[in-house]
Amino acid sequence: MTQRQFTLGALAAALGAALDGDSARVVTGLAPLETAGPDDVSFLTDPRYRDAARASRAAAVLAAADAEPLGPAMLRVKQPQIALVQLLLLFHPRPPASPGVHPTAIVAPDARVDPTAAVGALAVIERGAVLGPRVRIHPLAFVGPNVEVGEDTEIHPTVVLVDGVRIGRRVIVHPGAVIGSDGFGYVFDSGAHQKIPQVGTVVIEDDVEIGANTTIDRATLGATVIRRGTKIDNLVQIGHNVEVGEHAILVAQVGISGSSRLGRGVVLAGQVGVADHVAVGDGAMIGAQSGIHADIEPGAKVLGTPARPIMQAKRIFLSESQLPDFGRKLRELERRLDRLEGRGGEARRDG
Amino acid sequence: MTQRQFTLGALAAALGAALDGDSARVVTGLAPLETAGPDDVSFLTDPRYRDAARASRAAAVLAAADAEPLGPAMLRVKQPQIALVQLLLLFHPRPPASPGVHPTAIVAPDARVDPTAAVGALAVIERGAVLGPRVRIHPLAFVGPNVEVGEDTEIHPTVVLVDGVRIGRRVIVHPGAVIGSDGFGYVFDSGAHQKIPQVGTVVIEDDVEIGANTTIDRATLGATVIRRGTKIDNLVQIGHNVEVGEHAILVAQVGISGSSRLGRGVVLAGQVGVADHVAVGDGAMIGAQSGIHADIEPGAKVLGTPARPIMQAKRIFLSESQLPDFGRKLRELERRLDRLEGRGGEARRDG
Amino acid sequence: MTQRQFTLGALAAALGAALDGDSARVVTGLAPLETAGPDDVSFLTDPRYRDAARASRAAAVLAAADAEPLGPAMLRVKQPQIALVQLLLLFHPRPPASPGVHPTAIVAPDARVDPTAAVGALAVIERGAVLGPRVRIHPLAFVGPNVEVGEDTEIHPTVVLVDGVRIGRRVIVHPGAVIGSDGFGYVFDSGAHQKIPQVGTVVIEDDVEIGANTTIDRATLGATVIRRGTKIDNLVQIGHNVEVGEHAILVAQVGISGSSRLGRGVVLAGQVGVADHVAVGDGAMIGAQSGIHADIEPGAKVLGTPARPIMQAKRIFLSESQLPDFGRKLRELERRLDRLEGRGGEARRDG
């Protein structure tokens, strides 16, 4: 990698930032506040780190338009997080892929590979597959028969796209992910589980990202669908005939059982499990490790197994700490009542 | 894919169904009730969807022998789920594999590959491996040294079968699964974890199915065993020296720790964890996300972490909702008792 | 595999063991107590299995220096578990790798491969990668651009080492593991999740072991770090910018969210989840399936979701069984109080 360098003035222009500092000063790297040196630009995207920003050795700090003055020079922008993305791309531009098919890739004669697509070493492209413009298939990836991959999509090493799945545009599939494996369906007959053929497919819409070693099963009939803009982390399992709405977030190790439907903008935190045939409404947020066994209202925030509204779940959690005390208190109250009932009788006799 | 077509009469004959309708009518596809068109056959395997069946545009509906008459023609059978499997296979027959070794596959000179077996592009078959009749090894799969694969077994792309594992007949291993990786065993000595060599193997019996990116570790000594007919979903972890009985069902993301034994016909729902050295009796059913830390009786139905009988677990869950109330009620009872004890004293004095 | 054989005298010498028995007797295998035959040596590393040791048909049993005499001959050592590791290696020595690059491996012209390293069939070594002495890259593995792999490290089939990750010495990476995939980071803007470029790396220090299909994400900036001696099981997820201390143990299906820090010697049991930006202190032990949402003190032993001190968690679990009773008892106490309050009044009137 060749090192890139910019003047603060050039960075301010690229980011549309207001610069408080020397526009001629040169920076050669981008680093967090604590580790930045005098040749680096850094960033303050979370006001909680203000003290670290003040103490930083960075040449300049990217910050919000209304941030207090800091020691280093400042690049002020309206949306520091968005500007940070631009800054990351300025210092670490994506290496361009060289179009063309590596001589060791195995491409079926009737596969259609756009001349601008790149197919890496030892990748396998099966019969009838279609790779659109600027698609990038990394080494050792498998593109099954009749799979379609839309333009600008990147398929990382050892990914498996099974027969006939359809991948949209600008999709990223990280290493080891499997899209289109058989759904898990059997019918018990004659003393054994008989496999229900899984003859549907998977449709991944545009701008979806799929994490490493994640698995998405094909539908029994019809399609398992991941709608556009949804981001899926590593080691996630998505069962057959599931539909995930647009712009959803599925954090690592989430599992979604067959035929469930997640609405638009749903957020599932890590290790959440969703039972089969469940509907999770638009914008619902599910806390980490929760278990979803029934429909969830749009916009609901739930937690726990089975999941409850998050405030109720937290109250229950607090009460649980007192649970061993409750038993002790109940026994004490019983003793006091026993005494009182005896005493009450005496009072009567006394009376 | 070429489209297949059948008359309803031909389908009735193939399924052994009684037809209520026009036996000459031609259908060209199979689809769910909601999406079926006038050229499709559909199915009603769950009576809850009777209304959808009545409203369906399908040419005919596969249904139970005693189902009420519907709008479309009906194919009546005793076991609609079994007939549906046949119907799926009629419309979507498995493409035949061409026997032979792809010229780019790397096959060790002393590996024995049955002439009816198919080895795909860039697959690796190591020394001493044995592939039986009609075995299908997909592209980019790895069959390690001395591995044996029984007849009619299918090994999907990027599967890894590590040294010496034995795979039975009619087994399906989905993409990315790893069979025979080292068990997780160490002994702490001289300030570090020393690896315990894992020199055992894995035995997968006949008719087992193993999901995408699932991992099954080899035994320390002896064998990790998956008995015949067992079906394992995606992303499941099976530790060293585990034994899974016949016809078990392990749903996605289940994890089983070392040396545990699952009986025949056990069902583990999604994300269940089983501790090490635990025995789960024949036919036990474990609810989703449960944690199993002690032996489970045959036929038991349990839920939760740690797992309890399912009815008890559900009662506890309902009570938990009242837990914050319990605290409030306890305090109220205490106040009432305080008052009464004071009053009881007065009553005495009064008397 | 050729069978290896030793006299008990030779084994005693190799292990530094005191032999009670015939030093000339020959053994040809190593097996557990129950399955060992008269040509095998066995081992008693856990005193609970003493009865099995007495009944064993083994020619000799490896046992503690102070173990009671058994039926078979005995090899007495101070640390039987350590000696067992030696015994496993004596009977099952690691097959030596033949140095050299397989003719079908794809190695970039500027990659530096030590002449003692072994690169298997159809492995891909990208530009700028460095493989140290005696490194072993198995078939179908992917070593990305500028990746460095330290001496004596073993990379199993289908492993993916993404651009620029650094792997130490004597590391083992099991099949299907992915090291250096993008961290999961987005900023929501213009109605969609915008990807935050993940331009950091992953550093795996010496003597680390990484399980099958485990995923370790690269840092946004800087490095995700796994410190020396740490052992990671299968299907574990480690997020961006995480740091795992030395000699930690992460059991299967654990998930660690971004920027969390685990101390030295931490143990996470199976399926534990750790939230982001959390610190787990040195030597802390986290029970299976726990959820860690806040910092954990060094040496703490915790359990549950959210995690509590293990003794408290167990007390709560016991109390939970009585929870449905608590409700009943509370209602009974209320009734008794109602009666008493009425009776107290009567007592007064009586008096």
Side-chain angles (χ1 to χ4, degrees), chain B residues 138-304:
Chain B
H138 284 260
L140 297 166
F142 176 81
V143 178
N146 306 307
V147 167
E148 293 178 25
V149 182
E151 58 189 61
D152 296 301
T153 281
E154 183 164 15
I155 305 295
H156 280 274
T158 74
V159 165
V160 175
L161 306 178
V162 187
D163 310 31
V165 306
R166 298 207 304 278
I167 314 288
R169 295 171 294 174
R170 298 174 302 279
V171 170
I172 304 172
V173 186
H174 288 285
V178 175
I179 302 180
S181 39
D182 278 356
F184 194 66
Y186 305 90
V187 46
F188 199 77
D189 182 53
S190 313
H193 302 291
Q194 312 295 337
K195 182 176 177 65
I196 300 176
Q198 304 289 311
V199 304
T201 190
V202 177
V203 174
I204 309 290
E205 293 189 354
D206 297 345
D207 300 301
V208 167
E209 189 164 348
I210 294 170
N213 285 345
T214 278
T215 57
I216 303 180
D217 281 351
R218 64 177 53 241
T220 309
L221 277 170
T224 304
V225 181
I226 313 295
R227 299 228 173 273
R228 70 188 172 87
T230 281
K231 309 299 183 184
I232 301 176
D233 202 349
N234 299 344
L235 293 171
V236 169
Q237 151 69 2
I238 297 183
H240 50 178
N241 295 84
V242 163
E243 182 179 333
V244 180
E246 300 178 0
H247 305 299
I249 291 281
L250 276 59
V251 178
Q253 296 177 319
V254 157
I256 305 178
S257 304
S259 300
S260 285
R261 270 151 210 280
L262 309 189
R264 182 189 165 88
V266 159
V267 177
L268 271 60
Q271 299 185 333
V272 163
V274 178
D276 58 297
H277 292 87
V278 161
V280 177
D282 291 353
M285 300 184 73
I286 317 292
Q289 294 188 323
S290 298
I292 306 299
H293 299 90
D295 291 358
I296 300 292
E297 293 291 303
K301 290 186 169 58
V302 302
L303 183 64

Side-chain angles (χ1 to χ4, degrees), chain C residues 4 15 45 67 85 96 104 131 140 164 189 202 208 263 265 267 292 307 317:
Chain C
R4 303 179 71 87
L15 304 176
T45 50
V85 170
T104 62
L131 307 182
L140 297 166
D189 182 52
V202 177
V208 167
V267 177
I292 305 299
F317 176 71

Side-chain angles (χ1 to χ4, degrees), chain A residues 122 176 186 189 193 195 213 217 235 237 253-255 272 290-291 305-306 308 320 333 336 340 343 346, chain B residues 81-82 92 122 174 209 213 231 233-234 247 252-253 271 289 317 320-321 324 330 337-338 341 348:
Chain A
L122 305 175
Y186 304 90
D189 182 51
H193 303 289
K195 182 176 177 69
N213 286 345
D217 281 350
L235 293 170
Q237 152 68 4
Q253 295 175 321
V254 156
V272 162
S290 298
T305 300
R308 292 181 168 99
E320 274 177 344
L333 288 177
R336 288 170 66 186
L340 260 187
R343 222 206 291 180
E346 287 174 57
Chain B
Q81 283 227 307
I82 310 294
H92 303 270
L122 306 175
H174 288 285
E209 189 164 348
N213 285 345
K231 309 299 183 184
D233 202 349
N234 299 344
H247 305 299
Q253 296 177 319
Q271 299 185 333
Q289 294 188 323
F317 176 71
E320 275 177 345
S321 302
L330 270 172
L337 262 171
D338 289 348
E341 283 169 343
R348 244 175 147 171

Side-chain angles (χ1 to χ4, degrees), chain A residues 48-81:
Chain A
R48 284 180 298 174
Y49 298 119
R50 205 164 36 206
D51 288 348
R54 251 187 230 107
S56 178
R57 296 167 58 232
V61 171
L62 173 73
D66 58 354
E68 295 166 35
L70 303 165
M74 293 181 76
L75 289 157
R76 295 175 179 281
V77 293
K78 233 166 109 179
Q79 296 182 289
Q81 283 227 308

Side-chain angles (χ1 to χ4, degrees), chain A residues 102-106 119-124 137-141, chain B residues 122, chain C residues 106 124 126:
Chain A
H102 192 278
T104 63
I106 309 297
V119 178
L122 305 175
V124 174
I137 308 290
H138 284 260
L140 297 166
Chain B
L122 306 175
Chain C
I106 308 298
V124 174
E126 294 279 29

Side-chain angles (χ1 to χ4, degrees), chain C residues 166-230:
Chain C
R166 298 206 304 276
I167 314 288
R169 295 170 295 175
R170 298 173 303 279
V171 169
I172 304 172
V173 186
H174 287 286
V178 175
I179 303 179
S181 39
D182 278 357
F184 193 67
Y186 305 90
V187 45
F188 199 77
D189 182 52
S190 314
H193 303 289
Q194 311 295 337
K195 183 176 176 67
I196 300 175
Q198 305 289 312
V199 304
T201 189
V202 177
V203 175
I204 309 289
E205 293 189 353
D206 296 345
D207 300 302
V208 167
E209 188 165 349
I210 295 169
N213 285 345
T214 278
T215 55
I216 304 180
D217 280 350
R218 65 177 52 242
T220 309
L221 276 170
T224 303
V225 181
I226 312 295
R227 299 229 173 272
R228 71 189 171 86
T230 282

